[in-house]
Amino acid sequence: MPDIRLPAEAKYKNELDALAAHDDKPRPPGWALSPRAVETYILGSPKPVGGVAITPKYVGDKGLIQVCIATLASDRALMLVGEPGTAKSWLSEHLSAAISGTSALVVQGTAGTSEDHIKYSWNYALLLAQGPTPEALVPSPILRAMRTGKFARFEEVTRTSPEIQDSLISILSEKQVSVPELGEITSAQRGFNLIATANTRDRGVNEMSAALKRRFNFVTVPVVEDLEQEIQIVTKREAELRTDYQVGVPPPEELSRVLLTLFHELRKGVTKDGKTKVRTPGAVLSTAEAISVLFNSSILAQQFGSGTVTSHELAASLVGAVVKEQEDDVKALREYMETVAKGRTGPWKDLYSASKKLLRG
């Protein structure tokens, strides 16, 4: 059976191989591609490289990507911060795939993340049988990255406790991990670095220490403000999901535009023409959420509808995405439908009618 989701280095192997074969720029030690080729991989190329089309993985500010790549070419770690759903993890994965050839060396930050997840643990069966030996050591993804000169990724750093966060300080400053049980110190190979992510909505949960912050270059990944740009991102990613999962039908372009317009207006608290203020819900109306709503609508239409995505499927998916746990979110969406969608024509009218039934109460 095929994998549900291939890592970036496998899914885009043809592109990475083509870029490597035609890359004549200098590469930092341990890098699979030069910084310029990494930029081309991330942002895409208008012309094929070696007969292979290089598709954009990130649609946004070119300067932001260049700063990320330049940081990683230095000895500084990279921290991607921003609202949930702004493609921080997506960008982290693709940068790691392009530079190191693997995006799999990942630590997921949670309240239960321990120092073992960052440094090393033990195979206790071997430890009891043999004592502390190299064979009994279980290296963390970060330690494996250090040994092989690859990039490690640390997702959601601020979800972990301050003591666990601070175990990164010596790794990032000294580029070493001590294993006292074996009487040895592992020094990072050239090419090692760390890409971390943090949500701005987690600020204050477990604030990073000043000492740890100094080890990172912070780059803010913004919410997409340009409507046309966000439509491009969402329709491309939704089509990729349908291909990957082999389910769903293509949604009409006009419904994609309605959805993204609604997201933009609810996020900003005002309609595009600036004439009507709307209540902003507490839910995160991110680009990732819009992709999910559109993809879910396409599945509903294929499996339970007419085979064509309509406002009915869009409304059903939208209400579940916007209305989470807060009663105010129900009020915000209901108010938007009454004051904005109701007065518009075409698919907006249909969306209003479909959502009205779902928002009763």
Side-chain angles (χ1 to χ4, degrees):
M1 294 290 290
D3 293 341
I4 290 178
R5 182 185 182 279
L6 291 172
E9 60 270 19
K11 184 172 182 179
Y12 298 96
K13 185 177 185 302
N14 287 346
E15 294 186 27
L16 291 167
D17 288 347
L19 285 166
H22 294 80
D23 186 8
D24 58 0
K25 300 291 190 297
R27 307 177 189 185
W31 282 40
L33 296 174
S34 68
R36 182 62 63 86
V38 174
E39 178 197 34
T40 301
Y41 170 75
I42 298 293
L43 297 176
S45 172
K47 296 179 181 179
V49 175
V52 178
I54 309 299
T55 59
K57 318 303 179 300
Y58 177 83
V59 178
D61 183 14
K62 180 179 180 179
L64 181 149
I65 298 302
Q66 290 175 342
V67 169
C68 289
I69 297 169
T71 297
L72 294 169
S74 73
D75 236 10
R76 205 103 181 268
L78 174 66
M79 176 68 72
L80 299 172
V81 297
E83 287 281 299
T86 49
K88 299 182 298 297
S89 297
W90 176 259
L91 183 54
S92 167
E93 178 185 354
H94 283 283
L95 284 167
S96 296
I99 295 169
S100 284
T102 179
S103 59
L105 300 171
V106 187
V107 174
Q108 180 61 54
T110 68
T113 301
S114 69
E115 192 169 343
D116 291 355
H117 295 106
I118 294 173
K119 293 184 176 178
Y120 61 89
S121 58
W122 296 96
N123 179 323
Y124 286 102
L126 286 177
L127 187 65
L128 290 171
Q130 304 174 2
T133 62
E135 293 75 25
L137 185 79
V138 181
S140 71
I142 293 175
L143 183 54
R144 296 205 307 273
M146 294 175 71
R147 286 175 169 179
T148 56
K150 302 292 185 183
F151 278 19
R153 300 164 56 208
F154 199 133
E155 296 291 322
E156 311 290 2
V157 168
T158 51
R159 300 266 175 100
T160 63
S161 66
E163 310 85 63
I164 302 306
Q165 292 178 24
D166 284 347
S167 63
L168 287 170
I169 293 175
S170 62
I171 291 174
L172 295 178
S173 58
E174 300 168 17
K175 302 294 191 295
Q176 292 180 333
V177 169
S178 174
V179 186
E181 297 90 341
L182 298 178
E184 65 179 40
I185 294 175
T186 296
S187 296
Q189 299 298 301
R190 285 287 181 186
F192 167 73
N193 210 331
L194 181 72
I195 306 176
T197 66
N199 283 328
T200 51
R201 293 209 177 196
D202 286 341
R203 188 170 291 151
V205 174
N206 286 305
E207 188 67 25
M208 294 170 63
S209 67
L212 182 56
K213 286 180 179 178
R214 285 198 302 271
R215 270 67 183 184
F216 285 99
N217 188 30
F218 281 66
V219 173
T220 299
V221 182
V223 174
V224 182
E225 297 290 346
D226 183 81
L227 178 62
E228 297 304 322
Q229 190 178 76
E230 191 165 19
I231 290 172
Q232 179 187 348
I233 295 168
V234 170
T235 53
K236 178 179 181 294
R237 284 291 297 127
E238 190 276 334
E240 289 176 352
L241 287 172
R242 276 188 284 107
T243 300
D244 290 345
Y245 286 83
Q246 298 179 18
V247 68
V249 291
E253 184 179 338
E254 63 177 7
L255 283 185
S256 300
R257 182 170 292 277
V258 165
L259 173 65
L260 270 304
T261 300
L262 181 150
F263 266 46
H264 269 245
E265 292 179 334
L266 283 174
R267 280 200 303 248
K268 292 185 175 182
V270 66
T271 54
K272 283 183 66 181
D273 58 13
K275 294 180 179 179
T276 307
K277 289 186 177 181
V278 296
R279 188 190 307 203
T280 301
V284 179
L285 300 179
S286 64
T287 302
E289 195 73 68
I291 294 166
S292 178
V293 169
L294 207 58
F295 184 41
N296 195 62
S297 302
S298 78
I299 297 172
L300 286 173
Q302 182 193 50
Q303 301 296 326
F304 307 107
S306 63
T308 300
V309 182
T310 67
S311 296
H312 174 77
E313 288 83 22
L314 187 64
S317 302
L318 175 65
V319 170
V322 176
V323 179
K324 303 286 187 183
E325 299 175 2
Q326 302 179 46
E327 179 62 25
D328 283 350
D329 288 351
V330 182
K331 294 176 182 177
L333 186 57
R334 186 187 298 134
E335 183 180 295
Y336 178 88
M337 291 298 173
E338 291 293 338
T339 58
V340 179
K342 185 178 180 180
R344 290 174 174 171
T345 59
W348 284 98
K349 273 285 197 212
D350 296 334
L351 181 64
Y352 166 74
S353 299
S355 62
K356 190 174 182 180
K357 299 173 184 176
L358 298 169
L359 293 168
R360 284 175 182 162

